[in-house]
Amino acid sequence: MNDPVFSQGSVLGRFGVVVHGGAGNVRPERRALHIEGCRRAARAGLAVLRDGGSATDAVEHAVRALEDDPIFNAGTGACLTADGIVEHDASIMEGHDLRAGAVCSLRGFANPVLIARAALDDGRHVLYAAEGAARFAAERGFVPVGDAALVTEAAREALAAAREGTGPTGWAGGTVGAVARDASGLLAAATSTGGTVNKRAGRVGDSPLIGAGTYADDEAGAVSTTGHGEGMIRLCVARSAVEAMRARVSADEALRRTIEHLRERVGSVGGAIAIDRNGRYGFARSTATMSWAAAWEEGEDAGI
Ligand code: ASP
């Protein structure tokens, strides 16, 4: 709780993607895996931009890659509820006309971010919950894989440890997110998670909530958050950071201020990534780790 906020920023240029693999305290021997997973996802997003895809397509692909990597708390390998099942939350937002899509408490699908994207494209509603979200997904042609296919041994162990009170303090790390800018100046953000280990049935965190876990506005910036969802919701962290960027605060400084405020005002820890309208990116965390990677036209960088 007393860790200082660590933040860093750099310039990404005309187009690029930044991803995170969750705020938490990843064990030292697993850190390289987290960084590698983030690198792969950022490259997947960049490949989409290189092929002429939009920032929205890029964050969708980057987050999908992270959902498919079982070490992250999203898609396959997401953490388990108190009932021992996966309930996914995910959202995506496009910064041109502020279109957004999201799902929460969704069971049985491998890639919730794709269903959130379908909601964005459909345009009628922003957020679908539980059975309604599953029905929407099925109507859009997504095939459920079932509850069991999403559960990994590591997730079972984490739930057992949480029930016994022997789990790690804070988060194990693993919620995922991405922000991107394409050459046209479009900004987008997406976030996906299983939420928190041993959460009560029906608990919804910040990740599917536009303004708390995800926000994108071409006139300001794009943000994806991770950490203590209850605090993120109360402070609308993603939107707050975007508003700071609108006031011409740099991406890393906007996040540093917001994550510090989160700790000071409601005692919550977490982290976030951002990209601003000028192609400057940044991240901040008040947890011990938050894996991240950035990929742009001429290079890439990553860390934890
Ligand atoms: N923010 C997520 C939630 O509260 C958890 C996380 O980022 O690790 O659902």
Side-chain angles (χ1 to χ4, degrees), residues 4-79:
V5 175
F6 176 76
S7 65
Q8 192 175 309
S10 190
V11 175
L12 199 127
R14 246 167 25 102
F15 65 87
V17 184
V18 186
V19 307
H20 71 75
N25 190 1
V26 174
R27 292 199 305 274
E29 66 275 16
R30 293 181 66 80
R31 290 181 184 176
L33 273 177
H34 272 251
I35 295 171
E36 202 36 52
C38 284
R39 271 193 199 277
R40 273 196 300 271
R43 285 176 194 153
L46 182 68
V48 170
L49 294 178
R50 283 212 168 106
D51 286 350
S54 70
T56 315
D57 299 330
V59 294
E60 176 195 316
H61 276 76
V63 167
R64 179 188 191 165
L66 292 160
E67 288 178 339
D68 287 342
D69 187 332
I71 71 163
F72 294 105
N73 172 20
T76 306
C79 69

Side-chain angles (χ1 to χ4, degrees), residues 1 23-26 161-162 165-173 269 287-288:
M1 184 64 84
N25 190 1
V26 174
T166 56
T169 54
W171 289 264
V269 294
T287 47

Side-chain angles (χ1 to χ4, degrees), residues 172-251:
T175 286
V176 306
V179 293
R181 181 184 198 276
D182 65 30
S184 77
L186 181 71
L187 299 178
T191 310
S192 182
T193 188
T196 49
V197 183
N198 202 27
K199 68 184 182 182
R200 288 180 180 154
R203 178 266 187 190
V204 175
D206 56 319
S207 309
L209 301 184
I210 299 302
T214 300
Y215 205 79
D217 182 341
D218 284 2
E219 295 172 5
V223 172
S224 168
T225 73
T226 168
H228 186 221
E230 281 69 12
M232 297 278 181
I233 292 170
R234 285 185 277 162
L235 286 176
C236 302
V237 165
R239 177 73 193 271
S240 297
V242 166
E243 289 314 308
M245 288 187 275
R246 196 188 306 280
R248 308 207 167 272
V249 176
S250 67

Side-chain angles (χ1 to χ4, degrees), residues 82-149:
D83 298 327
I85 55 163
V86 170
E87 287 186 3
H88 283 132
D89 295 339
S91 61
I92 185 165
M93 185 166 186
E94 185 171 87
H96 176 60
D97 49 11
L98 309 183
R99 291 192 302 155
V103 291
C104 65
S105 296
L106 173 66
R107 287 177 56 177
F109 289 87
N111 293 111
V113 73
L114 302 186
I115 302 165
R117 173 69 193 267
L120 181 155
D121 289 337
D122 178 73
R124 176 161 173 196
H125 302 305
V126 169
L127 174 60
Y128 292 85
E131 287 83 4
R135 255 165 65 184
F136 172 77
E139 281 162 20
R140 298 293 136 163
F142 293 96
V143 179
V145 295
D147 287 330

